[in-house]
Amino acid sequence: MLISWWHVYLATQSIYRQVLDMATVLHKLIVPVSIGPPEPPRNKVSVVGVGQVGMACAVSILLRELTDELALVDVMEDKLKGEMMDLQHGSLFIKTPKIVSGKDYSVTSNSRVVVVTAGVRQQEGETRLDLVQRNVNIFKHIIPQIVRYSPNCILIVVSNPVDILTYVTWKLSGLPKHRVIGSGTNLDSARFRYLMAERLGIHPSSFNGWILGEHGDSSVPVWSGANVAGVNLQKLNPDIGKDKDKENWKETHKMVVDSAYEVIKLKGYTNWAIGLSVADLTESLMKNMNRVHPVSTMVKGMYGVSEEVFMSLPCVLDSNGVGSVVNMTLTQDEVSHLKTSADTLWNIQRDLKHL
Amino acid sequence: MASVLEKLISPVACGAPQPPTNKVTVVGVGQVGMACAVSILLRDLCDELSLVDVLEDKLKGEMMDLQHGSLFLKTQKITADKDYSVTANSRIVVVTAGVRQQEGESRLNLVQRNVNIFKHIIPQLVKHSPNCILVVVSNPVDILTYVTWKLSGLPKHRVIGSGTNLDSARFRYIMAEKLGLHASSFNGFVLGEHGDSSVPVWSGVNVAGVSLQKLNPAIGTDKDSENWKEAHKLVVDSAYEVIRLKGYTNWAIGLSVADLTESLVKNLSRVHPVSTMVKGMYGIADEVYLSLPCVLNSSGVGNVINMTLTDQEVAQLKNSADTLWSIQKDLKDL
């Protein structure tokens, strides 16, 4: 009895102090005007996986000022919290006022774009196709939760093997195909344009060239389309891309295929280039730009492909996702190349369990 | 047969290519160095970036990974080498080389380890870029900025330590969060030594010119019932906490270095709390580097703002100066 009266006394003291005492600095300094709950985010991006690739995507997106809220998700809680804090400490220098993170997917709710980088990474010498079942099992846990909290989002899949995992994501998500995109050959094309432009002494953005199909070893460089200022390189050198080409331009495409392996060998992983390329895609989606990017999309019915596989084609990206696909004029060789990739991918996909 | 290059492209300008006008070099391609490099690239601050390190494979891998992103950047030339000739003609050199703080290790414990590394690095940088501005990031930053100044032979206005630029950014973020504002709308400076004994200047803290100390005269003291002092403590602890959680810090420091680089490269004359030579100010008689509000322009530290500090704050600065000097005076081979 005495104890509870003591508590009442303390409570009264505290209220008295608060009422009579100075209002807090916050209350003295800032007078609220708008009432009601705060506005939901308009341009929220979530990044799943805070490894090197995920963080490179996050930082590129932040520095390009594409989002008003960024959410990070991972299973490693300390690492996740540390990365979130480190970004928050840079708040003064960026225009994204809210950065959140959590193991629980509720932090991702209301995202417009979700970038999936989760999964295990390619080991030195391991091909992308060897990673498959390991990453499928992780995605079975991730994808349904993402869609539950952001049913209207666009999913960008980065984890490798990207074309297969984009198919897996599409199946697990139940989303229409235009809202599930694989980063695909966006990076291969960027590397190709960089390497080709270097040989010509110009900026990569002034060199037009596309790499399509499967991201990785059997990607298809469309030599017939390679041009600078509309000048078609194949017209200048009809042997371009072939073995008998004295200038050996084909080597450049080989370097693109090898470059991921080489960077992994040198520094253990790649992250900056993929991060920048994902920010580039995110910009087109967020700003409804209708820019054309080579990304992985569902290609059944095109170029004689009869299975449900995802491969990279030039896609027009807008705020719905893949608005349309540009019809490439491809040579017979290039078409059969695509068809072979499709068959390879389907061979693996049809044996995947629990989709 | 003419090559595709010759058929496609006709040269117009003749003579040697122009040297870079805004070259930035980053020494050290660890987590901090790469965060600085990427922040600088994404802010479009330089026309050439060079990277230097002793780990040749890692260095080449990082350079290639950045080059592969060229399509998305406005920095045409990215180079890297173990040899410092690659850094020639830099306007700004960011030094992140050295060993990093271990969990629980105070910054002052790193000193002699990093001095020995700097004796190799700094003279080579100055040899290849005699007109550059050096931005020192490696810890303990105030001592290493002094070391860099001594080893470089450069005038003091061209050697800057990242200092409390990051502490102030963290302070502004934490304080602004408590008020529901963006960090850039909260004005506050943390000065002095970067780290455990940094000095939050409570008398200057304001939002839209409204002094918080006028609203709450106890702010920053132990008797403050709102315990605002906690915010500064969080700033001091935050580096240790992020290191504990993810092993290192890099993003915030990278962004803050890009912010300094922007003022230097664009001759902005913005005021930043960075580490500069403070002998002769606030009763300090030794050659030490501490953070004060510096006006940064294309010559480096153009001026220093005279802060109105309380006696207690001046005493704290003097204490830090004494602590730093007692370590510096024992350093060998400067």
Side-chain angles (χ1 to χ4, degrees):
Chain A
M1 184 74 167
L2 199 61
I3 293 172
S4 65
W5 275 113
W6 177 244
H7 287 147
V8 170
Y9 170 73
L10 285 178
T12 321
Q13 276 276 324
S14 160
I15 293 166
Y16 180 80
R17 226 192 331 262
Q18 277 173 51
V19 164
L20 272 207
D21 205 336
M22 297 184 301
T24 61
V25 164
L26 173 60
H27 291 127
K28 285 191 200 178
L29 185 66
I30 295 182
V31 179
V33 176
S34 70
I35 48 179
E39 292 283 308
R42 300 269 202 292
N43 291 311
K44 180 168 171 174
V45 173
S46 289
V47 176
V48 180
V50 296
Q52 298 287 0
V53 172
M55 290 314 293
C57 293
V59 169
S60 302
I61 286 169
L62 285 174
L63 274 154
R64 289 252 180 266
E65 297 174 6
L66 296 177
T67 173
D68 57 0
E69 184 172 327
L70 176 75
L72 304 173
V73 185
D74 202 298
V75 293
M76 294 171 51
E77 293 181 84
D78 276 359
K79 168 77 165 160
L80 180 64
K81 184 178 179 193
E83 292 290 3
M84 176 192 73
M85 286 177 70
D86 202 2
L87 291 178
Q88 286 172 333
H89 291 165
S91 288
L92 174 58
F93 311 113
I94 53 178
K95 308 275 173 55
T96 298
K98 193 168 171 188
I99 299 173
V100 296
S101 70
K103 203 166 87 151
D104 190 292
Y105 281 80
S106 56
V107 302
T108 67
S109 53
N110 297 317
S111 297
R112 280 190 67 184
V113 173
V114 180
V115 179
V116 183
T117 73
V120 286
R121 77 164 86 107
Q122 240 169 303
Q123 298 304 307
E124 187 183 332
E126 187 184 19
T127 70
R128 291 177 181 98
L129 290 177
D130 289 343
L131 298 177
V132 182
Q133 192 72 52
R134 291 206 280 162
N135 279 329
V136 168
N137 297 334
I138 294 170
F139 275 45
K140 273 180 1 223
H141 169 72
I142 290 175
I143 305 299
Q145 298 207 65
I146 293 174
V147 177
R148 173 180 160 204
Y149 286 105
S150 305
N152 299 315
C153 74
I154 298 164
L155 284 161
I156 300 179
V157 181
V158 183
S159 323
N160 271 317
V162 67
D163 301 297
I164 296 181
L165 289 179
T166 310
Y167 166 80
V168 166
T169 301
W170 175 54
K171 282 288 179 195
L172 292 170
S173 69
L175 292 177
K177 61 182 177 165
H178 62 266
R179 286 212 268 126
V180 182
I181 298 166
S183 61
T185 57
N186 197 42
L187 177 56
D188 309 50
S189 299
R191 285 177 172 142
F192 183 61
R193 293 172 71 179
Y194 162 70
L195 292 166
M196 294 289 285
E198 279 288 291
R199 278 183 78 161
L200 296 170
I202 57 180
H203 193 269
S205 60
S206 295
F207 179 90
N208 299 310
W210 294 79
I211 293 188
L212 303 177
E214 188 193 345
H215 167 62
D217 298 355
S218 60
S219 60
V220 183
V222 182
W223 292 108
S224 55
N227 72 89
V228 175
V231 180
N232 185 297
L233 264 59
Q234 201 174 53
K235 286 213 172 69
L236 300 182
N237 177 354
D239 291 333
I240 198 169
K242 303 199 181 111
D243 292 324
K244 55 183 161 117
D245 174 17
K246 289 202 266 288
E247 292 185 73
N248 197 10
W249 285 98
K250 188 175 183 167
E251 176 69 16
T252 311
H253 175 246
K254 185 172 185 309
M255 280 168 68
V256 171
V257 170
D258 291 345
S259 55
Y261 297 115
E262 201 189 343
V263 175
I264 290 171
K265 183 172 76 72
L266 290 169
K267 69 178 236 191
Y269 54 89
T270 88
N271 66 329
W272 302 124
I274 181 66
L276 288 164
S277 78
V278 166
D280 188 53
L281 298 178
T282 303
E283 186 175 25
S284 287
L285 296 169
M286 287 302 210
K287 298 182 184 178
N288 195 24
M289 287 174 82
N290 289 318
R291 284 192 300 179
V292 184
H293 298 266
V295 289
S296 197
T297 188
M298 225 285 282
V299 302
K300 173 176 169 179
M302 295 185 247
Y303 304 106
V305 175
S306 57
E307 312 288 359
E308 285 183 338
V309 290
F310 275 71
M311 286 197 303
S312 291
L313 290 178
C315 296
V316 183
L317 296 188
D318 60 27
S319 50
N320 272 322
V322 181
S324 35
V325 172
V326 175
N327 283 325
M328 294 291 275
T329 34
L330 300 175
T331 63
Q332 293 269 38
D333 234 4
E334 287 159 351
V335 172
S336 64
H337 208 145
L338 285 184
K339 184 95 186 36
T340 310
S341 292
D343 292 339
T344 312
L345 294 172
W346 184 247
N347 265 338
I348 297 175
Q349 282 173 199
R350 63 166 194 236
D351 291 331
L352 291 173
K353 307 200 186 329
H354 317 301
L355 284 182
Chain B
M1 264 201 325
S3 64
V4 164
L5 174 59
E6 285 159 347
K7 286 190 201 180
L8 187 65
I9 296 182
S10 297
V12 176
C14 46
Q18 291 285 315
T21 47
N22 288 311
K23 179 168 171 174
V24 173
T25 289
V26 177
V27 181
V29 297
Q31 297 288 0
V32 172
M34 290 315 293
C36 293
V38 169
S39 303
I40 286 168
L41 285 173
L42 272 154
R43 290 248 181 265
D44 298 339
L45 295 177
C46 62
D47 56 0
E48 185 173 329
L49 175 78
S50 77
L51 304 172
V52 187
D53 202 302
V54 294
L55 296 175
E56 293 180 84
D57 276 358
K58 167 79 166 160
L59 178 65
K60 185 178 179 192
E62 292 290 3
M63 176 194 73
M64 285 177 70
D65 203 1
L66 290 179
Q67 286 172 334
H68 290 166
S70 288
L71 174 59
F72 311 112
L73 301 172
K74 307 272 174 53
T75 298
Q76 168 68 326
K77 194 168 171 189
I78 299 173
T79 55
D81 210 309
K82 203 166 87 154
D83 189 296
Y84 281 79
S85 57
V86 77
T87 69
N89 297 317
S90 297
R91 279 190 70 182
I92 313 281
V93 179
V94 179
V95 183
T96 74
V99 286
R100 80 164 86 108
Q101 238 170 307
Q102 297 303 307
E103 187 183 332
E105 186 184 17
S106 76
R107 291 179 180 98
L108 290 175
N109 287 343
L110 297 177
V111 182
Q112 193 72 51
R113 291 206 281 162
N114 278 330
V115 168
N116 297 334
I117 294 172
F118 275 45
K119 277 185 350 224
H120 168 74
I121 290 175
I122 304 301
Q124 297 206 66
L125 287 169
V126 177
K127 173 183 164 197
H128 287 105
S129 305
N131 299 316
C132 74
I133 298 166
L134 286 162
V135 178
V136 181
V137 184
S138 322
N139 272 317
V141 67
D142 301 297
I143 296 181
L144 289 178
T145 310
Y146 166 81
V147 166
T148 300
W149 175 54
K150 281 289 179 195
L151 291 170
S152 68
L154 292 177
K156 61 182 180 169
H157 62 265
R158 286 212 267 126
V159 182
I160 299 166
S162 61
T164 57
N165 196 43
L166 177 55
D167 309 50
S168 299
R170 284 178 173 140
F171 182 63
R172 292 172 72 181
Y173 161 70
I174 290 167
M175 295 290 282
E177 279 288 292
K178 287 166 96 88
L179 296 171
L181 303 173
H182 189 268
S184 61
S185 293
F186 181 90
N187 298 310
F189 277 85
V190 175
L191 302 178
E193 189 194 343
H194 167 61
D196 298 354
S197 61
S198 60
V199 183
V201 182
W202 291 108
S203 56
V205 160
N206 73 90
V207 174
V210 180
S211 158
L212 264 59
Q213 200 175 53
K214 287 216 170 67
L215 299 183
N216 177 355
I219 198 170
T221 65
D222 291 322
K223 54 185 162 96
D224 174 15
S225 52
E226 289 186 74
N227 196 13
W228 284 98
K229 189 173 182 171
E230 178 70 16
H232 175 248
K233 187 174 185 307
L234 279 175
V235 170
V236 169
D237 291 344
S238 55
Y240 297 116
E241 201 190 343
V242 175
I243 290 172
R244 187 181 66 76
L245 290 169
K246 68 177 238 192
Y248 53 89
T249 88
N250 66 329
W251 303 124
I253 181 65
L255 287 165
S256 79
V257 165
D259 187 54
L260 298 177
T261 304
E262 186 175 23
S263 287
L264 297 168
V265 165
K266 296 183 185 179
N267 196 25
L268 291 180
S269 293
R270 286 191 300 180
V271 180
H272 299 265
V274 289
S275 197
T276 188
M277 224 286 282
V278 301
K279 172 176 169 178
M281 295 186 246
Y282 304 106
I284 293 167
D286 299 308
E287 286 182 338
V288 291
Y289 270 74
L290 288 175
S291 289
L292 291 178
C294 297
V295 182
L296 296 187
N297 57 31
S298 49
S299 37
V301 180
N303 327 85
V304 172
I305 305 288
N306 283 325
M307 291 292 275
T308 34
L309 300 175
T310 63
D311 287 339
Q312 206 190 15
E313 288 159 351
V314 173
Q316 273 180 281
L317 286 184
K318 185 95 186 34
N319 256 346
S320 293
D322 291 339
T323 312
L324 293 173
W325 184 247
S326 65
I327 296 175
Q328 282 173 198
K329 68 180 202 266
D330 292 331
L331 290 173
K332 307 200 186 329
D333 313 316
L334 285 182

